[in-house]
Amino acid sequence: MSLLSYETSQNMLDLLQVNSQRSENVSLSSSLGRVLAEDIIAQHNDPQFPTASMDGYAVIHSDLDGKIISIVGDNPAGSDEKRTVKSGECIKTFTGSMMPHGADTLIQIENVTVEEGKIIINESVPKGSSVRPVGEGYRAGDVLIKKGTKIGFVEIGVMAALNCVMVKVAIKPRVAVISTGSEILDLGVNSDNPAQIRSSNNYTLAALFEQAGAEVVQLGTVGDDKNLIMQTFQNALLSADILVSTGGVSVGDYDFVKDIVPRLGAEVIYKGVAIKPGKHILVAQKADRFVLALPGFAYSSTVTAILYVLPLIAKMLGRESAYKAVAAKLGEDFTKRSRLTEFTACNVSVEDNEYFVDFKDKKVGSSAILTNMLDNSALMVTGEEDGDLPQGTLVSVILLESF
């Protein structure tokens, strides 16, 4: 069987047309974790006027040489200060207050002694000290948060400061997840058959897709029954943007999924990619909906979901990329196990702003070892042309915490 190269499969995936224009308005307090569907643009300068950044006295800087200045009043934060500071005068001004007209410097409380309505300068300050200039934070017209940004606590704070009551966000793509195979036992189901395997794939992938910003429809498990699988897939595609299945895509007698997908009226974009794990992956499209059939082993299905499902979710959300990839140095020799593009669970550390990779406590074995991805692991990518790699080689690494 001829297999697509990994690079070709990713290029073809990137060329698929998806609907990334769907959006809705939600309240600011409900927008955490959602993806912005428009740029957030400043409507005014911040601050809009010179502002005190500490508690002190607003003065004309040249008056500091005189050592003694008369206090003519207070200027609490939030007050609409109208007075103008004249030579020989100062106004006590608090953090966040508008600087009084005429004053160009704020001398901190700690730098003066107050006696009989006057301040005595104990330690001078530079001109403009402790004054936030107009537009220090941002200028009117600045793009503060770009479309496609996943909203976190900082974005919430910035938008609150801009008085964004409602936020335009991308509608979450709906992803249906199902595990196939008569050997799969769903959570909570008891069995006396020791050959059955407890289902984890559909829960792993559901969590992965939710973390990536999708709405997940959990379909559980279905046995090796062609008609039942067909009906389940048809029902899922009535409402899901993406249907993701695990199991049934290899070449065994009970691997029905690869035969069912074309019968759904879906066009198979490709089946089989030169990657390890996951070479039997199938990607298909039916109108504006997608079917991705992934291998059944836990590590295989998780890796292929990261590589092929997350980019589709990202595109539907209007995001530029699904994950972050960095260059890292091998901290030890690496033995490549195949002539395919391999994705190997690894540990990543940062030293002097440089990424390093090692494989401490990572087990070498089948594509079923999901525990290799615990402890903030990453995926190291080695190409078809790569052989064994010596310590110090620069490699590409997908950071799993970047979803």
Short mmCIF file of all heavy atoms in Angstrom, two decimals, residues 312-373:
data_model
loop_
_atom_site.label_atom_id
_atom_site.label_comp_id
_atom_site.label_asym_id
_atom_site.label_seq_id
_atom_site.Cartn_x
_atom_site.Cartn_y
_atom_site.Cartn_z
N LEU A 312 -7.97 20.96 12.30
CA LEU A 312 -9.31 21.26 11.78
C LEU A 312 -10.11 22.11 12.77
O LEU A 312 -10.79 23.06 12.38
CB LEU A 312 -10.07 19.96 11.48
CG LEU A 312 -9.77 19.27 10.14
CD1 LEU A 312 -10.58 17.99 10.03
CD2 LEU A 312 -10.07 20.20 8.97
N ILE A 313 -10.03 21.76 14.05
CA ILE A 313 -10.70 22.55 15.08
C ILE A 313 -10.17 23.98 15.07
O ILE A 313 -10.93 24.95 15.11
CB ILE A 313 -10.53 21.90 16.46
CG1 ILE A 313 -11.26 20.56 16.53
CG2 ILE A 313 -11.02 22.84 17.57
CD1 ILE A 313 -11.01 19.77 17.81
N ALA A 314 -8.85 24.10 14.99
CA ALA A 314 -8.23 25.43 14.99
C ALA A 314 -8.71 26.25 13.80
O ALA A 314 -9.03 27.45 13.94
CB ALA A 314 -6.71 25.31 14.97
N LYS A 315 -8.79 25.63 12.62
CA LYS A 315 -9.27 26.34 11.43
C LYS A 315 -10.71 26.80 11.60
O LYS A 315 -11.06 27.92 11.22
CB LYS A 315 -9.15 25.44 10.19
CG LYS A 315 -7.72 25.25 9.69
CD LYS A 315 -7.68 24.39 8.45
CE LYS A 315 -8.23 25.13 7.25
NZ LYS A 315 -7.88 24.48 5.97
N MET A 316 -11.54 25.97 12.17
CA MET A 316 -12.95 26.33 12.37
C MET A 316 -13.10 27.46 13.37
O MET A 316 -14.07 28.22 13.33
CB MET A 316 -13.74 25.10 12.83
CG MET A 316 -13.90 24.05 11.75
SD MET A 316 -14.83 22.60 12.31
CE MET A 316 -14.82 21.60 10.81
N LEU A 317 -12.13 27.57 14.28
CA LEU A 317 -12.16 28.65 15.28
C LEU A 317 -11.46 29.91 14.79
O LEU A 317 -11.45 30.92 15.49
CB LEU A 317 -11.48 28.17 16.57
CG LEU A 317 -12.23 27.13 17.40
CD1 LEU A 317 -11.33 26.57 18.48
CD2 LEU A 317 -13.49 27.74 18.02
N GLY A 318 -10.85 29.85 13.60
CA GLY A 318 -10.14 31.01 13.08
C GLY A 318 -8.78 31.21 13.72
O GLY A 318 -8.22 32.31 13.67
N ARG A 319 -8.22 30.15 14.29
CA ARG A 319 -6.91 30.25 14.91
C ARG A 319 -5.81 29.92 13.90
O ARG A 319 -6.02 29.13 12.98
CB ARG A 319 -6.78 29.29 16.11
CG ARG A 319 -7.84 29.49 17.18
CD ARG A 319 -7.46 28.81 18.47
NE ARG A 319 -6.42 29.58 19.15
CZ ARG A 319 -5.79 29.17 20.24
NH1 ARG A 319 -6.07 27.98 20.76
NH2 ARG A 319 -4.87 29.91 20.81
N GLU A 320 -4.65 30.53 14.08
CA GLU A 320 -3.56 30.35 13.12
C GLU A 320 -2.90 28.98 13.23
O GLU A 320 -2.44 28.42 12.24
CB GLU A 320 -2.51 31.46 13.30
CG GLU A 320 -2.99 32.83 12.83
CD GLU A 320 -1.89 33.87 12.91
OE1 GLU A 320 -0.74 33.49 13.22
OE2 GLU A 320 -2.19 35.04 12.67
N SER A 321 -2.82 28.44 14.43
CA SER A 321 -2.16 27.15 14.60
C SER A 321 -2.81 26.37 15.73
O SER A 321 -3.43 26.95 16.62
CB SER A 321 -0.66 27.33 14.89
OG SER A 321 -0.49 28.10 16.06
N ALA A 322 -2.67 25.05 15.66
CA ALA A 322 -3.32 24.18 16.64
C ALA A 322 -2.44 23.93 17.85
O ALA A 322 -2.93 23.63 18.94
CB ALA A 322 -3.68 22.85 15.99
N TYR A 323 -1.13 24.05 17.67
CA TYR A 323 -0.20 23.77 18.76
C TYR A 323 1.11 24.48 18.48
O TYR A 323 1.34 24.98 17.37
CB TYR A 323 0.03 22.26 18.94
CG TYR A 323 0.29 21.53 17.64
CD1 TYR A 323 1.51 21.64 16.97
CD2 TYR A 323 -0.69 20.72 17.06
CE1 TYR A 323 1.74 20.99 15.78
CE2 TYR A 323 -0.47 20.06 15.86
CZ TYR A 323 0.75 20.20 15.23
OH TYR A 323 0.98 19.56 14.04
N LYS A 324 1.97 24.50 19.48
CA LYS A 324 3.27 25.16 19.33
C LYS A 324 4.36 24.11 19.13
O LYS A 324 4.45 23.14 19.88
CB LYS A 324 3.57 25.98 20.59
CG LYS A 324 4.89 26.75 20.54
CD LYS A 324 5.09 27.56 21.82
CE LYS A 324 6.42 28.30 21.80
NZ LYS A 324 6.64 29.06 23.06
N ALA A 325 5.17 24.31 18.10
CA ALA A 325 6.32 23.44 17.85
C ALA A 325 7.59 24.25 18.01
O ALA A 325 7.66 25.41 17.60
CB ALA A 325 6.25 22.84 16.45
N VAL A 326 8.59 23.66 18.67
CA VAL A 326 9.85 24.36 18.93
C VAL A 326 11.02 23.48 18.51
O VAL A 326 10.88 22.26 18.35
CB VAL A 326 10.00 24.73 20.42
CG1 VAL A 326 8.88 25.66 20.86
CG2 VAL A 326 10.05 23.48 21.30
N ALA A 327 12.16 24.10 18.33
CA ALA A 327 13.40 23.35 18.07
C ALA A 327 14.05 23.04 19.41
O ALA A 327 14.09 23.87 20.30
CB ALA A 327 14.34 24.17 17.19
N ALA A 328 14.53 21.81 19.55
CA ALA A 328 15.16 21.39 20.80
C ALA A 328 16.38 20.52 20.50
O ALA A 328 16.48 19.91 19.43
CB ALA A 328 14.16 20.61 21.66
N LYS A 329 17.30 20.47 21.45
CA LYS A 329 18.49 19.64 21.31
C LYS A 329 18.30 18.31 22.03
O LYS A 329 17.78 18.27 23.15
CB LYS A 329 19.72 20.36 21.89
CG LYS A 329 20.34 21.37 20.95
CD LYS A 329 21.62 21.93 21.55
CE LYS A 329 22.27 22.94 20.61
NZ LYS A 329 23.48 23.56 21.23
N LEU A 330 18.73 17.24 21.37
CA LEU A 330 18.69 15.93 22.02
C LEU A 330 19.67 15.89 23.18
O LEU A 330 20.86 16.19 23.01
CB LEU A 330 19.05 14.84 21.02
CG LEU A 330 17.93 14.28 20.15
CD1 LEU A 330 18.51 13.31 19.12
CD2 LEU A 330 16.88 13.59 21.00
N GLY A 331 19.17 15.52 24.35
CA GLY A 331 20.04 15.41 25.51
C GLY A 331 20.69 14.05 25.62
O GLY A 331 21.51 13.80 26.51
N GLU A 332 20.31 13.13 24.73
CA GLU A 332 20.87 11.79 24.70
C GLU A 332 20.72 11.23 23.29
O GLU A 332 19.98 11.78 22.48
CB GLU A 332 20.17 10.88 25.72
CG GLU A 332 18.67 10.75 25.49
CD GLU A 332 17.98 9.93 26.57
OE1 GLU A 332 17.65 10.50 27.63
OE2 GLU A 332 17.78 8.72 26.33
N ASP A 333 21.42 10.13 23.00
CA ASP A 333 21.29 9.50 21.69
C ASP A 333 19.87 8.97 21.50
O ASP A 333 19.22 8.54 22.47
CB ASP A 333 22.28 8.34 21.54
CG ASP A 333 23.73 8.81 21.53
OD1 ASP A 333 23.95 10.03 21.33
OD2 ASP A 333 24.64 7.97 21.74
N PHE A 334 19.41 8.95 20.25
CA PHE A 334 18.05 8.47 19.95
C PHE A 334 18.12 7.40 18.87
O PHE A 334 18.75 7.58 17.83
CB PHE A 334 17.16 9.62 19.48
CG PHE A 334 15.81 9.18 19.00
CD1 PHE A 334 14.84 8.76 19.90
CD2 PHE A 334 15.50 9.17 17.63
CE1 PHE A 334 13.59 8.35 19.45
CE2 PHE A 334 14.26 8.76 17.18
CZ PHE A 334 13.30 8.35 18.10
N THR A 335 17.46 6.26 19.12
CA THR A 335 17.40 5.16 18.16
C THR A 335 16.06 5.19 17.45
O THR A 335 15.00 5.03 18.09
CB THR A 335 17.58 3.80 18.87
OG1 THR A 335 18.82 3.80 19.57
CG2 THR A 335 17.54 2.67 17.87
N LYS A 336 16.07 5.42 16.16
CA LYS A 336 14.82 5.47 15.37
C LYS A 336 14.37 4.05 15.06
O LYS A 336 15.18 3.19 14.71
CB LYS A 336 15.05 6.27 14.08
CG LYS A 336 13.75 6.68 13.39
CD LYS A 336 13.98 7.87 12.49
CE LYS A 336 12.66 8.35 11.89
NZ LYS A 336 12.17 7.47 10.83
N ARG A 337 13.07 3.81 15.14
CA ARG A 337 12.55 2.46 15.06
C ARG A 337 11.97 2.10 13.70
O ARG A 337 11.59 0.95 13.47
CB ARG A 337 11.50 2.25 16.14
CG ARG A 337 12.03 2.45 17.56
CD ARG A 337 10.92 2.41 18.59
NE ARG A 337 10.24 1.13 18.60
CZ ARG A 337 9.03 0.94 19.09
NH1 ARG A 337 8.35 1.96 19.60
NH2 ARG A 337 8.47 -0.25 19.07
N SER A 338 11.80 3.09 12.82
CA SER A 338 11.19 2.79 11.52
C SER A 338 11.68 3.79 10.48
O SER A 338 12.42 4.72 10.80
CB SER A 338 9.66 2.88 11.63
OG SER A 338 9.27 4.25 11.70
N ARG A 339 11.23 3.59 9.23
CA ARG A 339 11.55 4.54 8.16
C ARG A 339 10.41 5.52 7.94
O ARG A 339 10.37 6.22 6.93
CB ARG A 339 11.84 3.77 6.87
CG ARG A 339 13.12 2.94 6.93
CD ARG A 339 13.46 2.34 5.60
NE ARG A 339 14.73 1.62 5.65
CZ ARG A 339 15.29 1.01 4.61
NH1 ARG A 339 14.66 1.03 3.42
NH2 ARG A 339 16.44 0.39 4.73
N LEU A 340 9.49 5.56 8.86
CA LEU A 340 8.36 6.48 8.79
C LEU A 340 8.69 7.77 9.56
O LEU A 340 9.69 7.84 10.27
CB LEU A 340 7.10 5.84 9.38
CG LEU A 340 6.71 4.45 8.83
CD1 LEU A 340 5.51 3.92 9.59
CD2 LEU A 340 6.42 4.52 7.34
N THR A 341 7.83 8.77 9.43
CA THR A 341 7.94 9.94 10.30
C THR A 341 7.43 9.52 11.68
O THR A 341 6.29 9.07 11.80
CB THR A 341 7.10 11.12 9.77
OG1 THR A 341 7.62 11.50 8.49
CG2 THR A 341 7.16 12.30 10.71
N GLU A 342 8.28 9.63 12.69
CA GLU A 342 7.93 9.14 14.02
C GLU A 342 7.60 10.28 14.98
O GLU A 342 8.19 11.36 14.89
CB GLU A 342 9.08 8.31 14.61
CG GLU A 342 9.27 6.96 13.96
CD GLU A 342 10.33 6.12 14.68
OE1 GLU A 342 10.79 6.53 15.77
OE2 GLU A 342 10.71 5.07 14.14
N PHE A 343 6.67 9.99 15.89
CA PHE A 343 6.30 10.94 16.95
C PHE A 343 6.52 10.23 18.28
O PHE A 343 5.78 9.31 18.63
CB PHE A 343 4.85 11.39 16.77
CG PHE A 343 4.64 12.12 15.47
CD1 PHE A 343 4.35 11.41 14.30
CD2 PHE A 343 4.78 13.49 15.39
CE1 PHE A 343 4.20 12.07 13.09
CE2 PHE A 343 4.64 14.16 14.18
CZ PHE A 343 4.34 13.45 13.04
N THR A 344 7.55 10.64 18.97
CA THR A 344 8.01 9.94 20.17
C THR A 344 7.78 10.79 21.40
O THR A 344 8.17 11.97 21.45
CB THR A 344 9.52 9.64 20.05
OG1 THR A 344 9.78 8.97 18.81
CG2 THR A 344 10.00 8.80 21.21
N ALA A 345 7.13 10.21 22.40
CA ALA A 345 6.92 10.92 23.66
C ALA A 345 8.27 11.20 24.32
O ALA A 345 9.14 10.34 24.37
CB ALA A 345 6.04 10.10 24.59
N CYS A 346 8.44 12.41 24.79
CA CYS A 346 9.72 12.80 25.38
C CYS A 346 9.50 13.81 26.50
O CYS A 346 8.40 14.35 26.67
CB CYS A 346 10.63 13.42 24.31
SG CYS A 346 9.95 14.91 23.56
N ASN A 347 10.55 14.04 27.26
CA ASN A 347 10.55 15.09 28.27
C ASN A 347 11.25 16.32 27.70
O ASN A 347 12.24 16.20 26.97
CB ASN A 347 11.31 14.64 29.53
CG ASN A 347 10.79 13.32 30.06
OD1 ASN A 347 9.61 13.19 30.36
ND2 ASN A 347 11.67 12.33 30.16
N VAL A 348 10.74 17.50 28.03
CA VAL A 348 11.35 18.74 27.55
C VAL A 348 11.74 19.60 28.75
O VAL A 348 10.98 19.75 29.70
CB VAL A 348 10.37 19.53 26.66
CG1 VAL A 348 10.93 20.90 26.31
CG2 VAL A 348 10.09 18.77 25.38
N SER A 349 12.95 20.13 28.70
CA SER A 349 13.40 21.08 29.73
C SER A 349 13.96 22.30 29.04
O SER A 349 14.29 22.27 27.85
CB SER A 349 14.47 20.43 30.62
OG SER A 349 15.57 20.00 29.83
N VAL A 350 14.04 23.39 29.78
CA VAL A 350 14.57 24.64 29.23
C VAL A 350 15.77 25.07 30.07
O VAL A 350 15.67 25.18 31.30
CB VAL A 350 13.50 25.76 29.23
CG1 VAL A 350 14.07 27.05 28.63
CG2 VAL A 350 12.27 25.32 28.45
N GLU A 351 16.88 25.29 29.41
CA GLU A 351 18.10 25.76 30.07
C GLU A 351 18.68 26.90 29.25
O GLU A 351 18.94 26.73 28.05
CB GLU A 351 19.13 24.63 30.20
CG GLU A 351 18.64 23.43 31.01
CD GLU A 351 19.61 22.25 30.92
OE1 GLU A 351 20.81 22.50 30.69
OE2 GLU A 351 19.15 21.10 31.06
N ASP A 352 18.88 28.06 29.89
CA ASP A 352 19.43 29.24 29.21
C ASP A 352 18.66 29.53 27.92
O ASP A 352 19.25 29.72 26.85
CB ASP A 352 20.92 29.03 28.89
CG ASP A 352 21.76 28.87 30.15
OD1 ASP A 352 21.40 29.50 31.17
OD2 ASP A 352 22.74 28.12 30.12
N ASN A 353 17.32 29.51 28.04
CA ASN A 353 16.43 29.83 26.92
C ASN A 353 16.55 28.86 25.75
O ASN A 353 16.22 29.19 24.62
CB ASN A 353 16.67 31.26 26.42
CG ASN A 353 16.34 32.30 27.47
OD1 ASN A 353 15.32 32.18 28.15
ND2 ASN A 353 17.17 33.31 27.60
N GLU A 354 17.03 27.64 26.03
CA GLU A 354 17.15 26.63 24.99
C GLU A 354 16.43 25.36 25.44
O GLU A 354 16.51 24.96 26.59
CB GLU A 354 18.64 26.34 24.74
CG GLU A 354 18.92 25.59 23.46
CD GLU A 354 20.42 25.52 23.16
OE1 GLU A 354 21.24 25.75 24.07
OE2 GLU A 354 20.77 25.23 22.01
N TYR A 355 15.68 24.74 24.49
CA TYR A 355 14.95 23.52 24.81
C TYR A 355 15.86 22.30 24.66
O TYR A 355 16.65 22.21 23.72
CB TYR A 355 13.75 23.36 23.87
CG TYR A 355 12.62 24.33 24.12
CD1 TYR A 355 12.53 25.52 23.40
CD2 TYR A 355 11.63 24.05 25.05
CE1 TYR A 355 11.49 26.41 23.61
CE2 TYR A 355 10.58 24.93 25.28
CZ TYR A 355 10.52 26.11 24.55
OH TYR A 355 9.49 26.98 24.77
N PHE A 356 15.70 21.35 25.60
CA PHE A 356 16.41 20.08 25.54
C PHE A 356 15.42 18.92 25.70
O PHE A 356 14.39 19.06 26.37
CB PHE A 356 17.48 20.00 26.64
CG PHE A 356 18.66 20.89 26.40
CD1 PHE A 356 18.66 22.21 26.83
CD2 PHE A 356 19.79 20.41 25.73
CE1 PHE A 356 19.74 23.04 26.60
CE2 PHE A 356 20.88 21.23 25.50
CZ PHE A 356 20.86 22.55 25.93
N VAL A 357 15.76 17.79 25.07
CA VAL A 357 14.88 16.63 25.06
C VAL A 357 15.60 15.43 25.66
O VAL A 357 16.78 15.21 25.40
CB VAL A 357 14.46 16.30 23.60
CG1 VAL A 357 13.91 14.89 23.49
CG2 VAL A 357 13.44 17.29 23.11
N ASP A 358 14.86 14.65 26.49
CA ASP A 358 15.38 13.35 26.92
C ASP A 358 14.21 12.38 27.02
O ASP A 358 13.05 12.75 26.86
CB ASP A 358 16.14 13.47 28.25
CG ASP A 358 15.23 13.78 29.42
OD1 ASP A 358 14.43 12.90 29.81
OD2 ASP A 358 15.30 14.91 29.97
N PHE A 359 14.52 11.12 27.31
CA PHE A 359 13.49 10.07 27.30
C PHE A 359 13.44 9.31 28.63
O PHE A 359 13.05 8.14 28.67
CB PHE A 359 13.74 9.11 26.13
CG PHE A 359 13.87 9.82 24.81
CD1 PHE A 359 15.12 10.14 24.30
CD2 PHE A 359 12.74 10.22 24.13
CE1 PHE A 359 15.24 10.82 23.10
CE2 PHE A 359 12.85 10.91 22.92
CZ PHE A 359 14.11 11.22 22.42
N LYS A 360 13.82 9.98 29.70
CA LYS A 360 13.83 9.34 31.03
C LYS A 360 12.43 8.83 31.38
O LYS A 360 11.44 9.56 31.28
CB LYS A 360 14.31 10.35 32.08
CG LYS A 360 14.47 9.77 33.47
CD LYS A 360 15.04 10.82 34.41
CE LYS A 360 15.31 10.25 35.81
NZ LYS A 360 14.09 9.82 36.49
N ASP A 361 12.35 7.59 31.77
CA ASP A 361 11.11 6.91 32.19
C ASP A 361 10.10 6.71 31.06
O ASP A 361 8.96 6.33 31.32
CB ASP A 361 10.42 7.68 33.35
CG ASP A 361 11.28 7.74 34.59
OD1 ASP A 361 12.04 6.78 34.83
OD2 ASP A 361 11.21 8.75 35.33
N LYS A 362 10.49 6.95 29.81
CA LYS A 362 9.60 6.69 28.68
C LYS A 362 9.83 5.25 28.21
O LYS A 362 10.95 4.87 27.88
CB LYS A 362 9.86 7.66 27.53
CG LYS A 362 9.68 9.13 27.89
CD LYS A 362 8.30 9.43 28.43
CE LYS A 362 8.13 10.91 28.78
NZ LYS A 362 6.88 11.16 29.53
N LYS A 363 8.75 4.48 28.19
CA LYS A 363 8.88 3.06 27.83
C LYS A 363 8.86 2.88 26.32
O LYS A 363 8.11 3.55 25.61
CB LYS A 363 7.72 2.27 28.45
CG LYS A 363 7.76 2.28 29.98
CD LYS A 363 6.56 1.55 30.57
CE LYS A 363 6.60 1.59 32.09
NZ LYS A 363 5.42 0.95 32.69
N VAL A 364 9.71 1.98 25.83
CA VAL A 364 9.73 1.63 24.41
C VAL A 364 8.87 0.39 24.23
O VAL A 364 9.08 -0.62 24.89
CB VAL A 364 11.17 1.35 23.93
CG1 VAL A 364 11.17 0.90 22.47
CG2 VAL A 364 12.04 2.59 24.10
N GLY A 365 7.86 0.50 23.36
CA GLY A 365 6.97 -0.64 23.18
C GLY A 365 5.95 -0.35 22.11
O GLY A 365 6.23 0.35 21.13
N SER A 366 4.73 -0.87 22.30
CA SER A 366 3.67 -0.73 21.30
C SER A 366 3.08 0.69 21.34
O SER A 366 3.45 1.52 22.16
CB SER A 366 2.56 -1.75 21.57
OG SER A 366 1.84 -1.37 22.74
N SER A 367 2.10 0.90 20.45
CA SER A 367 1.43 2.21 20.38
C SER A 367 0.26 2.29 21.35
O SER A 367 -0.66 3.09 21.16
CB SER A 367 0.93 2.44 18.95
OG SER A 367 2.01 2.45 18.05
N ALA A 368 0.29 1.47 22.39
CA ALA A 368 -0.80 1.48 23.37
C ALA A 368 -0.43 2.20 24.65
O ALA A 368 -1.26 2.39 25.53
CB ALA A 368 -1.21 0.04 23.70
N ILE A 369 0.83 2.65 24.77
CA ILE A 369 1.32 3.15 26.07
C ILE A 369 1.02 4.64 26.22
O ILE A 369 1.86 5.51 25.97
CB ILE A 369 2.83 2.88 26.23
CG1 ILE A 369 3.14 1.41 25.93
CG2 ILE A 369 3.27 3.23 27.64
CD1 ILE A 369 4.62 1.07 25.96
N LEU A 370 -0.21 4.95 26.63
CA LEU A 370 -0.63 6.34 26.80
C LEU A 370 0.09 7.00 27.97
O LEU A 370 0.30 8.23 27.96
CB LEU A 370 -2.15 6.42 27.00
CG LEU A 370 -2.76 7.83 27.10
CD1 LEU A 370 -2.54 8.61 25.81
CD2 LEU A 370 -4.24 7.74 27.44
N THR A 371 0.50 6.21 28.96
CA THR A 371 1.16 6.79 30.14
C THR A 371 2.47 7.48 29.78
O THR A 371 2.97 8.29 30.56
CB THR A 371 1.44 5.69 31.19
OG1 THR A 371 2.11 4.59 30.56
CG2 THR A 371 0.14 5.21 31.82
N ASN A 372 3.03 7.18 28.60
CA ASN A 372 4.24 7.89 28.16
C ASN A 372 4.00 9.39 27.98
O ASN A 372 4.95 10.16 27.90
CB ASN A 372 4.76 7.30 26.84
CG ASN A 372 5.73 6.16 27.06
OD1 ASN A 372 6.20 5.93 28.18
ND2 ASN A 372 6.03 5.41 26.01
N MET A 373 2.71 9.79 27.92
CA MET A 373 2.40 11.20 27.68
C MET A 373 2.13 11.95 28.98
O MET A 373 1.80 13.14 28.96
CB MET A 373 1.21 11.33 26.73
CG MET A 373 1.47 10.71 25.37
SD MET A 373 0.08 10.90 24.20
CE MET A 373 0.39 12.56 23.59
#
